[in-house]
């Protein structure tokens, strides 16, 4: 069996499942944040800080951040393999997407955990 080194999962079905699970995490995080903002007062800096100081919220946010990265990578990988036919251009596109995703995750972790 031939495997792609740039695919996130082991197979198309595995990638599809990751897409669905990460989408559910992102929906749950979005619903939580929308409800937090819609049904409360306009949050002050202290309230935001208090919300994100909790370990549960930090873990939930980290899970959403990692889900966003995996979801975006699989989606962009799928689009690039379908629509960018020249191998060199596809490699550059996927490399830039991978680098930006990595930077986004590292930066998000630094912001979230104050490292």
């Amino acid at each position: 069996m031939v495997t792609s080194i740039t695919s996130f999962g082991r197979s198309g079905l595995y990638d599809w499942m990751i897409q669905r699970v990460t989408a559910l995490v992102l929906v749950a995080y979005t619903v939580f944040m929308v409800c937090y903002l819609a049904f409360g007062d306009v949050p002050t800096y202290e309230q935001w800080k208090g919300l994100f100081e909790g370990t549960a919220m930090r873990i939930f946010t980290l899970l959403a951040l990692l889900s966003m990265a995996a979801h975006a990578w699989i989606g962009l990988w799928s689009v690039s393999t379908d629509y960018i036919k020249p191998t060199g251009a596809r490699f550059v596109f996927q490399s830039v997407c991978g680098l930006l995703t990595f930077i986004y995750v590292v930066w998000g972790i630094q912001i979230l955990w104050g490292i």
Side-chain angles (χ1 to χ4, degrees), residues 23-63:
L24 290 174
V25 171
L26 293 171
V27 165
Y29 191 79
T30 302
V31 167
F32 172 80
M33 292 304 292
V34 166
C35 289
Y36 181 80
L37 294 171
F39 298 117
D41 295 332
V42 176
T44 63
Y45 172 78
E46 289 78 23
Q47 289 172 323
W48 275 116
K49 186 177 178 192
L51 175 66
F52 285 96
E53 279 182 346
T55 303
M57 187 60 188
R58 284 184 175 184
I59 291 171
F60 190 30
T61 303
L62 180 62
L63 182 62

Side-chain angles (χ1 to χ4, degrees), residues 59-80:
I59 291 171
F60 190 30
T61 303
L62 180 62
L63 182 62
L65 180 67
L66 295 174
S67 293
M68 176 76 79
H71 195 89
W73 173 253
I74 292 170
L76 289 170
W77 179 85
S78 298
V79 168
S80 68

Side-chain angles (χ1 to χ4, degrees), residues 77-94:
W77 179 85
S78 298
V79 168
S80 68
T81 55
D82 286 346
Y83 296 105
I84 303 175
K85 296 303 177 189
T87 305
R90 185 172 58 242
F91 176 77
V92 169
F93 177 80
Q94 290 175 349

Side-chain angles (χ1 to χ4, degrees), residues 73 76 91-104:
W73 173 253
L76 289 170
F91 176 77
V92 169
F93 177 80
Q94 290 175 349
S95 297
V96 169
C97 289
L99 179 64
L100 290 175
T101 301
F102 177 75
I103 291 169
Y104 174 67

